[in-house]
Structure formats: structure tokens, C-alpha cells
Amino acid sequence: MRVVEQSQLVNLGRATYVFPKDGLEVVLPEGRQAFQTQASMGDQHISETDAGLKITGSVPPGRVTMMWAFDMPLAGDTFHFKQTVPFRTYRFSIEADGPPGAKLEVAGMPQAIVHEEKGNRFLVTQTQIEPTETQLGELDVTLTGLPGPGPTRWIAVAGAAIFVLLAGFLAWRRPGRAAVDAGALDREKETVLEELEALEKEFRAGEVGPKFHAARQRELTDELAILLKSAAENRN
């Protein structure tokens, strides 16, 4: 089973965030194989370690996206893995290929919904956490009901993957005076509004279905609400 993870890091501070000298370590599940990452990601660099991976470099004000992937062994009709969340995260999205009968469960997250697009069937669950709320410290993902032994199994799981999105604030607030930059907030709001506009165009063109449209729209409007709340707090 291929696990693909995408991390969107948002720096709302006035200055560039610099990772520790030894890097930020992300612990990945044991038993992983075939680790891969993007060749270049601007000022951010990812290298594989015995425990998982290490992120070095910096994040300027704004948003950056990083991605990595690895394979996990699949035995029987159940796939399960746990992973520590490496930084303060306000949005989680877990998506898995979902052959008929499969069920996706993520501890602490809503029941997964079925999304069908262009003949493909996916299981999706998402949640959003405000910066003041208790963080989800660990991802506990279980995919059950996979096809049993035989040729049907290999057709169903060939290339099957779980996609994990972690959207985190690297610099939300520091002790004392607020460190959120109004300009960075405005840029991030513009990015979210552009994504909402693009989503509506895709929906009208029939490129995404109504369930995905509704879920993604809710996700983006919730993100916008967090940014507007932060802007209000920053003015006070």
C-alpha cells in the first residue's frame, strides 16, 4: 500500500521561520519501504532518516507545500498504521482508494464518506482544529474490508494508496505581543479565496462531484473563518 503525505505549512509571522539546526524530525511508521520525496522544494529540504525523515531549511511568510511517499506491507484484508503529527496542525484530510466493501477509520476524525469521480471510488474523512483547541497528536488510520486472496484482490489493490494532508501553522502566536503579520494574513486569505473560486469553476464544469464540492467548500470556508478570527485578534 502506498502512503502519500502532503504537508502545507503556513507561516503567519513577520519573519522567516528557520527549522532547528538538526532539522525537524518526522517519525514514520516502521516497516516502510521505497521512500520518495520531491527533488526540490525551494528553501525546504527533506532527507530520509532511520526514524523517518528530517526537514531542514526555512519557511518564509506565506504557504509552502512539501510531499513525500513510502510503501507499507499489506497482509490480509486490513491495512493499519500510526504516525505522530510533527507540528501544530489545523487541518487534516485522509483519502484512500476504496474498493466496494472497504471502510476507512481514523481515530478522532469523522466517519469517512464515499466519493466517486470518473469511475474511481474513494473514502474521505476530514477535520479542522482551531489553534486554541486540543491538537491531534497522532494519526491512527485503519482501512478494512479489502479484497481477499485471488486475482480480484490484485486488481483492486494494484496501485492503491492512502493520501494524507497535514496543514499546519508554523508560526501562529508567540508569548506576549502577537506575532501574526497582517500582510501575511491578507495573502493567505487571498489564496483561500482563489481556491474557492477555482473549486466553483471545477464544479460548474462537472470536473468534481457534489459531495467532494460540498466537503471541500466547507473545508475552505472553515479555513477562511480561522484566518478572519486571527485578523480580528491581531487588531485587538
Side-chain angles (χ1 to χ4, degrees):
M1 178 75 73
R2 167 129 293 211
V3 179
V4 182
E5 299 188 347
Q6 178 176 300
S7 173
Q8 292 181 345
L9 298 182
V10 182
N11 179 2
L12 295 178
R14 297 184 177 91
T16 295
Y17 176 92
V18 179
F19 287 103
K21 182 178 179 181
D22 295 332
L24 172 67
E25 185 172 64
V26 178
V27 179
L28 298 178
E30 294 183 0
R32 65 193 177 279
Q33 303 175 32
F35 177 84
Q36 294 180 336
T37 187
Q38 294 169 283
S40 176
M41 290 174 283
D43 294 332
Q44 304 80 45
H45 306 281
I46 290 179
S47 56
E48 186 177 10
T49 66
D50 291 339
L53 63 90
K54 179 174 63 175
I55 305 174
T56 56
S58 61
V59 178
R63 179 191 299 197
V64 300
T65 300
M66 299 178 292
M67 184 177 292
W68 55 85
F70 51 90
D71 292 339
M72 292 290 292
L74 175 62
D77 65 352
T78 299
F79 175 72
H80 175 248
F81 79 91
K82 290 184 178 182
Q83 179 178 327
T84 301
V85 178
F87 34 70
R88 175 177 283 277
T89 302
Y90 73 93
R91 179 158 54 92
F92 297 86
S93 180
I94 315 294
E95 177 181 311
D97 287 319
K103 183 178 181 181
L104 174 66
E105 294 182 338
V106 183
M109 293 181 61
Q111 180 178 352
I113 63 171
V114 177
H115 170 62
E116 295 185 5
E117 183 176 345
K118 298 180 180 179
N120 297 316
R121 187 175 186 272
F122 305 98
L123 302 171
V124 182
T125 180
Q126 301 174 335
T127 192
Q128 188 148 306
I129 299 174
E130 292 200 25
T132 55
E133 294 179 334
T134 301
Q135 288 288 300
L136 186 63
E138 181 182 62
L139 288 177
D140 188 340
V141 182
T142 304
L143 184 62
T144 59
L146 296 172
T152 303
R153 171 183 174 85
W154 302 115
I155 293 172
V157 302
I162 287 182
F163 178 82
V164 179
L165 170 65
L166 305 172
F169 283 127
L170 271 178
W172 180 256
R173 287 194 183 278
R174 295 173 184 161
R177 186 175 178 180
V180 178
D181 179 31
L185 279 170
D186 288 340
R187 289 190 295 272
E188 187 62 19
K189 284 187 291 184
E190 287 299 319
T191 298
V192 174
L193 290 171
E194 289 172 2
E195 290 184 14
L196 277 167
E197 183 180 1
L199 176 66
E200 293 305 316
K201 290 180 179 178
E202 291 173 350
F203 180 59
R204 289 194 296 270
E207 297 177 1
V208 299
K211 289 185 178 180
F212 177 84
H213 170 261
R216 181 62 176 151
Q217 185 183 59
R218 182 170 59 253
E219 178 183 325
L220 288 169
T221 52
D222 285 348
E223 182 175 350
L224 185 60
I226 288 178
L227 292 167
L228 292 173
K229 180 179 179 182
S230 177
E233 292 175 349
N234 203 38
R235 289 192 296 269
N236 295 334

mmCIF file of all heavy atoms in Angstrom, residues 69-97:
data_model
loop_
_atom_site.group_PDB
_atom_site.id
_atom_site.type_symbol
_atom_site.label_atom_id
_atom_site.label_comp_id
_atom_site.label_asym_id
_atom_site.label_seq_id
_atom_site.Cartn_x
_atom_site.Cartn_y
_atom_site.Cartn_z
ATOM 1 N N ALA A 69 6.440 10.158 0.115
ATOM 2 C CA ALA A 69 5.650 8.928 -0.018
ATOM 3 C C ALA A 69 6.508 7.732 0.372
ATOM 4 O O ALA A 69 7.742 7.779 0.331
ATOM 5 C CB ALA A 69 5.142 8.772 -1.453
ATOM 6 N N PHE A 70 5.819 6.645 0.751
ATOM 7 C CA PHE A 70 6.502 5.407 1.084
ATOM 8 C C PHE A 70 5.513 4.258 0.950
ATOM 9 O O PHE A 70 4.289 4.464 0.913
ATOM 10 C CB PHE A 70 7.099 5.453 2.501
ATOM 11 C CG PHE A 70 6.118 5.875 3.570
ATOM 12 C CD1 PHE A 70 5.342 4.931 4.250
ATOM 13 C CD2 PHE A 70 5.962 7.220 3.897
ATOM 14 C CE1 PHE A 70 4.447 5.324 5.230
ATOM 15 C CE2 PHE A 70 5.057 7.613 4.876
ATOM 16 C CZ PHE A 70 4.302 6.670 5.556
ATOM 17 N N ASP A 71 6.028 3.058 0.853
ATOM 18 C CA ASP A 71 5.184 1.860 0.739
ATOM 19 C C ASP A 71 5.144 1.140 2.077
ATOM 20 O O ASP A 71 6.128 1.125 2.827
ATOM 21 C CB ASP A 71 5.741 0.903 -0.318
ATOM 22 C CG ASP A 71 5.621 1.469 -1.722
ATOM 23 O OD1 ASP A 71 4.788 2.365 -1.930
ATOM 24 O OD2 ASP A 71 6.371 1.023 -2.615
ATOM 25 N N MET A 72 3.979 0.540 2.371
ATOM 26 C CA MET A 72 3.815 -0.257 3.584
ATOM 27 C C MET A 72 3.304 -1.645 3.200
ATOM 28 O O MET A 72 2.512 -1.779 2.266
ATOM 29 C CB MET A 72 2.819 0.422 4.527
ATOM 30 C CG MET A 72 3.303 1.729 5.133
ATOM 31 S SD MET A 72 4.626 1.493 6.330
ATOM 32 C CE MET A 72 3.756 0.641 7.643
ATOM 33 N N PRO A 73 3.760 -2.699 3.897
ATOM 34 C CA PRO A 73 3.289 -4.053 3.577
ATOM 35 C C PRO A 73 1.793 -4.192 3.849
ATOM 36 O O PRO A 73 1.255 -3.593 4.782
ATOM 37 C CB PRO A 73 4.116 -4.943 4.511
ATOM 38 C CG PRO A 73 4.545 -4.045 5.624
ATOM 39 C CD PRO A 73 4.716 -2.692 5.016
ATOM 40 N N LEU A 74 1.135 -4.974 3.022
ATOM 41 C CA LEU A 74 -0.295 -5.208 3.148
ATOM 42 C C LEU A 74 -0.540 -6.704 3.295
ATOM 43 O O LEU A 74 -0.172 -7.483 2.416
ATOM 44 C CB LEU A 74 -1.025 -4.672 1.918
ATOM 45 C CG LEU A 74 -2.529 -4.934 1.833
ATOM 46 C CD1 LEU A 74 -3.240 -4.267 2.998
ATOM 47 C CD2 LEU A 74 -3.080 -4.411 0.506
ATOM 48 N N ALA A 75 -1.122 -7.096 4.427
ATOM 49 C CA ALA A 75 -1.400 -8.518 4.673
ATOM 50 C C ALA A 75 -2.858 -8.667 5.065
ATOM 51 O O ALA A 75 -3.384 -7.886 5.860
ATOM 52 C CB ALA A 75 -0.495 -9.057 5.776
ATOM 53 N N GLY A 76 -3.521 -9.663 4.505
ATOM 54 C CA GLY A 76 -4.924 -9.882 4.835
ATOM 55 C C GLY A 76 -5.815 -8.804 4.256
ATOM 56 O O GLY A 76 -5.491 -8.175 3.253
ATOM 57 N N ASP A 77 -6.948 -8.558 4.924
ATOM 58 C CA ASP A 77 -7.914 -7.597 4.392
ATOM 59 C C ASP A 77 -7.895 -6.278 5.149
ATOM 60 O O ASP A 77 -8.788 -5.447 4.987
ATOM 61 C CB ASP A 77 -9.324 -8.195 4.442
ATOM 62 C CG ASP A 77 -9.796 -8.447 5.881
ATOM 63 O OD1 ASP A 77 -8.970 -8.291 6.810
ATOM 64 O OD2 ASP A 77 -10.977 -8.802 6.066
ATOM 65 N N THR A 78 -6.853 -6.053 5.993
ATOM 66 C CA THR A 78 -6.786 -4.845 6.811
ATOM 67 C C THR A 78 -5.428 -4.164 6.678
ATOM 68 O O THR A 78 -4.382 -4.821 6.723
ATOM 69 C CB THR A 78 -7.048 -5.174 8.295
ATOM 70 O OG1 THR A 78 -8.355 -5.730 8.433
ATOM 71 C CG2 THR A 78 -6.951 -3.919 9.155
ATOM 72 N N PHE A 79 -5.467 -2.851 6.507
ATOM 73 C CA PHE A 79 -4.243 -2.056 6.483
ATOM 74 C C PHE A 79 -4.325 -1.048 7.624
ATOM 75 O O PHE A 79 -5.332 -0.355 7.785
ATOM 76 C CB PHE A 79 -4.095 -1.328 5.154
ATOM 77 C CG PHE A 79 -2.912 -0.396 5.109
ATOM 78 C CD1 PHE A 79 -1.626 -0.898 5.038
ATOM 79 C CD2 PHE A 79 -3.091 0.976 5.154
ATOM 80 C CE1 PHE A 79 -0.526 -0.037 5.014
ATOM 81 C CE2 PHE A 79 -2.003 1.837 5.126
ATOM 82 C CZ PHE A 79 -0.721 1.322 5.054
ATOM 83 N N HIS A 80 -3.256 -0.964 8.430
ATOM 84 C CA HIS A 80 -3.280 -0.094 9.607
ATOM 85 C C HIS A 80 -1.920 0.535 9.814
ATOM 86 O O HIS A 80 -0.890 -0.137 9.664
ATOM 87 C CB HIS A 80 -3.678 -0.895 10.854
ATOM 88 C CG HIS A 80 -3.619 -0.098 12.120
ATOM 89 N ND1 HIS A 80 -2.698 -0.341 13.119
ATOM 90 C CD2 HIS A 80 -4.360 0.961 12.540
ATOM 91 C CE1 HIS A 80 -2.887 0.521 14.091
ATOM 92 N NE2 HIS A 80 -3.880 1.318 13.767
ATOM 93 N N PHE A 81 -1.916 1.832 10.134
ATOM 94 C CA PHE A 81 -0.653 2.445 10.540
ATOM 95 C C PHE A 81 -0.923 3.626 11.471
ATOM 96 O O PHE A 81 -1.977 4.253 11.447
ATOM 97 C CB PHE A 81 0.186 2.877 9.327
ATOM 98 C CG PHE A 81 -0.232 4.177 8.673
ATOM 99 C CD1 PHE A 81 0.323 5.385 9.063
ATOM 100 C CD2 PHE A 81 -1.171 4.185 7.650
ATOM 101 C CE1 PHE A 81 -0.051 6.570 8.461
ATOM 102 C CE2 PHE A 81 -1.536 5.366 7.034
ATOM 103 C CZ PHE A 81 -0.973 6.561 7.440
ATOM 104 N N LYS A 82 0.082 3.886 12.328
ATOM 105 C CA LYS A 82 0.048 5.027 13.238
ATOM 106 C C LYS A 82 1.237 5.922 12.944
ATOM 107 O O LYS A 82 2.309 5.447 12.578
ATOM 108 C CB LYS A 82 0.105 4.566 14.702
ATOM 109 C CG LYS A 82 -1.148 3.870 15.206
ATOM 110 C CD LYS A 82 -1.005 3.558 16.697
ATOM 111 C CE LYS A 82 -2.262 2.902 17.243
ATOM 112 N NZ LYS A 82 -2.137 2.632 18.704
ATOM 113 N N GLN A 83 1.030 7.214 13.143
ATOM 114 C CA GLN A 83 2.118 8.158 12.917
ATOM 115 C C GLN A 83 1.922 9.395 13.778
ATOM 116 O O GLN A 83 0.821 9.934 13.868
ATOM 117 C CB GLN A 83 2.168 8.559 11.433
ATOM 118 C CG GLN A 83 3.271 9.558 11.108
ATOM 119 C CD GLN A 83 3.317 9.886 9.638
ATOM 120 O OE1 GLN A 83 3.024 9.034 8.793
ATOM 121 N NE2 GLN A 83 3.675 11.113 9.315
ATOM 122 N N THR A 84 2.991 9.859 14.416
ATOM 123 C CA THR A 84 2.954 11.071 15.217
ATOM 124 C C THR A 84 2.812 12.288 14.307
ATOM 125 O O THR A 84 3.441 12.362 13.251
ATOM 126 C CB THR A 84 4.234 11.199 16.054
ATOM 127 O OG1 THR A 84 4.349 10.051 16.904
ATOM 128 C CG2 THR A 84 4.208 12.453 16.914
ATOM 129 N N VAL A 85 1.983 13.252 14.718
ATOM 130 C CA VAL A 85 1.845 14.506 13.975
ATOM 131 C C VAL A 85 3.002 15.416 14.385
ATOM 132 O O VAL A 85 3.151 15.732 15.567
ATOM 133 C CB VAL A 85 0.492 15.172 14.281
ATOM 134 C CG1 VAL A 85 0.378 16.508 13.554
ATOM 135 C CG2 VAL A 85 -0.658 14.245 13.881
ATOM 136 N N PRO A 86 3.839 15.852 13.442
ATOM 137 C CA PRO A 86 5.099 16.515 13.810
ATOM 138 C C PRO A 86 4.993 17.976 14.194
ATOM 139 O O PRO A 86 5.928 18.537 14.754
ATOM 140 C CB PRO A 86 5.944 16.359 12.541
ATOM 141 C CG PRO A 86 4.936 16.317 11.433
ATOM 142 C CD PRO A 86 3.740 15.609 11.994
ATOM 143 N N PHE A 87 3.897 18.658 13.882
ATOM 144 C CA PHE A 87 3.803 20.083 14.194
ATOM 145 C C PHE A 87 2.339 20.452 14.430
ATOM 146 O O PHE A 87 1.421 19.672 14.140
ATOM 147 C CB PHE A 87 4.381 20.949 13.066
ATOM 148 C CG PHE A 87 4.170 20.384 11.694
ATOM 149 C CD1 PHE A 87 2.908 20.332 11.119
ATOM 150 C CD2 PHE A 87 5.246 19.884 10.969
ATOM 151 C CE1 PHE A 87 2.707 19.796 9.875
ATOM 152 C CE2 PHE A 87 5.049 19.341 9.719
ATOM 153 C CZ PHE A 87 3.781 19.300 9.161
ATOM 154 N N ARG A 88 2.121 21.633 14.967
ATOM 155 C CA ARG A 88 0.760 22.118 15.224
ATOM 156 C C ARG A 88 0.000 22.153 13.908
ATOM 157 O O ARG A 88 0.399 22.842 12.963
ATOM 158 C CB ARG A 88 0.800 23.505 15.866
ATOM 159 C CG ARG A 88 -0.582 24.127 16.062
ATOM 160 C CD ARG A 88 -0.496 25.466 16.776
ATOM 161 N NE ARG A 88 -0.273 25.285 18.205
ATOM 162 C CZ ARG A 88 -1.223 25.034 19.087
ATOM 163 N NH1 ARG A 88 -2.473 24.890 18.688
ATOM 164 N NH2 ARG A 88 -0.950 24.908 20.359
ATOM 165 N N THR A 89 -1.091 21.419 13.859
ATOM 166 C CA THR A 89 -1.824 21.245 12.604
ATOM 167 C C THR A 89 -3.277 21.644 12.789
ATOM 168 O O THR A 89 -3.902 21.279 13.779
ATOM 169 C CB THR A 89 -1.734 19.773 12.137
ATOM 170 O OG1 THR A 89 -0.349 19.428 11.988
ATOM 171 C CG2 THR A 89 -2.445 19.567 10.817
ATOM 172 N N TYR A 90 -3.807 22.423 11.828
ATOM 173 C CA TYR A 90 -5.188 22.873 11.959
ATOM 174 C C TYR A 90 -6.119 22.172 10.976
ATOM 175 O O TYR A 90 -7.337 22.279 11.099
ATOM 176 C CB TYR A 90 -5.279 24.395 11.762
ATOM 177 C CG TYR A 90 -5.094 24.871 10.335
ATOM 178 C CD1 TYR A 90 -6.197 25.059 9.503
ATOM 179 C CD2 TYR A 90 -3.831 25.148 9.839
ATOM 180 C CE1 TYR A 90 -6.034 25.493 8.207
ATOM 181 C CE2 TYR A 90 -3.666 25.584 8.546
ATOM 182 C CZ TYR A 90 -4.766 25.759 7.729
ATOM 183 O OH TYR A 90 -4.593 26.184 6.433
ATOM 184 N N ARG A 91 -5.594 21.443 10.003
ATOM 185 C CA ARG A 91 -6.476 20.742 9.072
ATOM 186 C C ARG A 91 -5.884 19.390 8.704
ATOM 187 O O ARG A 91 -4.706 19.288 8.376
ATOM 188 C CB ARG A 91 -6.687 21.583 7.808
ATOM 189 C CG ARG A 91 -7.583 20.926 6.764
ATOM 190 C CD ARG A 91 -8.196 21.960 5.823
ATOM 191 N NE ARG A 91 -7.230 22.810 5.189
ATOM 192 C CZ ARG A 91 -6.680 22.552 3.986
ATOM 193 N NH1 ARG A 91 -6.995 21.455 3.343
ATOM 194 N NH2 ARG A 91 -5.811 23.388 3.454
ATOM 195 N N PHE A 92 -6.702 18.364 8.783
ATOM 196 C CA PHE A 92 -6.313 17.012 8.402
ATOM 197 C C PHE A 92 -7.274 16.508 7.328
ATOM 198 O O PHE A 92 -8.480 16.722 7.426
ATOM 199 C CB PHE A 92 -6.401 16.049 9.592
ATOM 200 C CG PHE A 92 -5.475 16.361 10.728
ATOM 201 C CD1 PHE A 92 -5.843 17.260 11.711
ATOM 202 C CD2 PHE A 92 -4.231 15.734 10.828
ATOM 203 C CE1 PHE A 92 -4.998 17.542 12.773
ATOM 204 C CE2 PHE A 92 -3.384 16.015 11.883
ATOM 205 C CZ PHE A 92 -3.769 16.920 12.858
ATOM 206 N N SER A 93 -6.750 15.839 6.332
ATOM 207 C CA SER A 93 -7.589 15.207 5.311
ATOM 208 C C SER A 93 -6.952 13.868 4.959
ATOM 209 O O SER A 93 -5.776 13.813 4.602
ATOM 210 C CB SER A 93 -7.700 16.088 4.065
ATOM 211 O OG SER A 93 -8.517 15.463 3.088
ATOM 212 N N ILE A 94 -7.725 12.790 5.105
ATOM 213 C CA ILE A 94 -7.247 11.447 4.797
ATOM 214 C C ILE A 94 -8.136 10.884 3.693
ATOM 215 O O ILE A 94 -9.356 10.864 3.822
ATOM 216 C CB ILE A 94 -7.307 10.509 6.017
ATOM 217 C CG1 ILE A 94 -6.762 11.201 7.276
ATOM 218 C CG2 ILE A 94 -6.573 9.208 5.721
ATOM 219 C CD1 ILE A 94 -5.304 11.526 7.231
ATOM 220 N N GLU A 95 -7.515 10.420 2.622
ATOM 221 C CA GLU A 95 -8.255 9.867 1.485
ATOM 222 C C GLU A 95 -7.636 8.534 1.105
ATOM 223 O O GLU A 95 -6.415 8.391 1.075
ATOM 224 C CB GLU A 95 -8.202 10.834 0.303
ATOM 225 C CG GLU A 95 -8.871 10.327 -0.955
ATOM 226 C CD GLU A 95 -8.771 11.314 -2.096
ATOM 227 O OE1 GLU A 95 -9.078 12.501 -1.872
ATOM 228 O OE2 GLU A 95 -8.367 10.911 -3.203
ATOM 229 N N ALA A 96 -8.467 7.536 0.819
ATOM 230 C CA ALA A 96 -7.966 6.211 0.462
ATOM 231 C C ALA A 96 -8.742 5.663 -0.719
ATOM 232 O O ALA A 96 -9.948 5.917 -0.865
ATOM 233 C CB ALA A 96 -8.093 5.249 1.645
ATOM 234 N N ASP A 97 -8.057 4.924 -1.580
ATOM 235 C CA ASP A 97 -8.757 4.153 -2.594
ATOM 236 C C ASP A 97 -9.714 3.217 -1.876
ATOM 237 O O ASP A 97 -9.339 2.556 -0.905
ATOM 238 C CB ASP A 97 -7.768 3.342 -3.426
ATOM 239 C CG ASP A 97 -6.978 4.232 -4.383
ATOM 240 O OD1 ASP A 97 -7.579 5.130 -4.971
ATOM 241 O OD2 ASP A 97 -5.762 4.011 -4.533
#
